[in-house]
Amino acid sequence: MYVSDQQLTSYIKDQALVAIRRESIDTRLIQGIILQFSNDLLLLQYVHDFHLDGRLVVRREDITEIRCRSTDIFQRQLLIDSRMFDQIDFQVSLDLTSFTSLLNHQAGTPIVIIEREQPDNASFWIGQHLGSTSHNIRLREFTGSGRWFEDPTDVPANEVTCCQLNTNYIQFYADYFRRHPPGDSGN
């Protein structure tokens, strides 16, 4: 299904909670609030189990359906009633020209997650963004146990399907590394 700019603009204007399907990538729906879009990318305030969980950037070409179901309308009101809606930055403006431009315009060297979501060839990278070219995204990766890889990782930019910014998962690692900078014992 083609998702029109008009449909996306309407969801943004209404600050709608929507369900996004990407059939070739995942059987689960992504629930979120569309904040911004470009020809190629869509920026969402990700909502998971009634928690605001950072921002997701996904490729538009992977989206097979976006709907605002009665469930989403009801759950949006629950988020408003709990004052969680007040925490969303509806004025955010990111460079969504490409994943590389998005990451190159982030301040400092933030920890990000980038993914290649393919049923038979999935990959997940987490680390500090060091810089990107039109062909590669360079990360200083770390393991799940908080150990930094010795050499930077280059991820082919054209294989990235999703980028996560400031999610709960990222924030736990970022907080850990603030308390235990590289060079401390245990890193």
Side-chain angles (χ1 to χ4, degrees):
M1 170 186 166
Y2 171 76
V3 179
S4 72
D5 289 359
Q6 182 179 3
Q7 181 183 13
L8 295 174
T9 300
S10 176
Y11 286 141
I12 290 171
K13 178 180 166 283
D14 295 342
Q15 298 179 340
L17 182 63
V18 298
I20 298 174
R21 181 174 307 283
R22 299 178 304 154
E23 285 178 0
S24 65
I25 290 178
D26 198 349
T27 56
R28 295 173 297 134
L29 296 171
I30 296 173
Q31 193 177 40
I33 298 160
I34 301 168
L35 300 174
Q36 186 183 346
F37 66 92
S38 68
N39 289 337
D40 298 320
L41 301 176
L42 185 71
L43 171 65
L44 295 167
Q45 170 62 63
Y46 181 44
V47 178
H48 181 72
D49 292 341
F50 296 103
H51 293 282
L52 303 180
D53 193 8
R55 296 181 182 142
L56 293 184
V57 181
V58 296
R59 296 188 310 192
R60 282 181 69 176
E61 70 184 68
D62 297 322
I63 297 171
T64 52
E65 182 179 21
I66 298 180
R67 294 181 47 211
C68 183
R69 309 161 300 168
S70 58
T71 297
D72 302 307
I73 292 167
F74 177 72
Q75 290 179 355
R76 177 184 184 272
Q77 189 59 53
L78 293 176
L79 291 171
I80 290 170
D81 293 347
S82 70
R83 305 199 61 87
M84 296 202 60
F85 236 62
D86 299 343
Q87 299 171 33
I88 300 170
D89 182 1
F90 289 102
Q91 304 307 312
V92 67
S93 179
L94 301 179
D95 184 341
L96 296 180
T97 306
S98 65
F99 284 115
T100 58
S101 63
L102 166 75
L103 291 169
N104 281 336
H105 286 93
Q106 298 297 302
T109 53
I111 294 175
V112 299
I113 294 172
I114 54 178
E115 298 178 75
R116 174 181 53 217
E117 304 162 292
Q118 302 298 327
D120 57 346
N121 191 22
S123 293
F124 171 97
W125 299 274
I126 184 169
Q128 285 182 313
H129 176 250
L130 300 176
S132 297
T133 67
S134 59
H135 300 291
N136 286 303
I137 297 170
R138 179 162 277 200
L139 295 179
R140 180 176 182 218
E141 261 189 296
F142 55 85
T143 67
S145 61
R147 306 248 188 261
W148 292 99
F149 288 13
E150 208 167 296
D151 296 318
T153 302
D154 287 325
V155 178
N158 64 345
E159 295 183 14
V160 176
T161 60
C162 179
C163 177
Q164 297 181 30
L165 305 169
N166 299 315
T167 60
N168 192 46
Y169 193 90
I170 290 170
Q171 289 307 312
F172 267 82
Y173 280 105
D175 291 346
Y176 170 79
F177 289 125
R178 274 192 283 282
R179 293 188 315 271
H180 306 282
D184 274 5
S185 59
N187 269 321

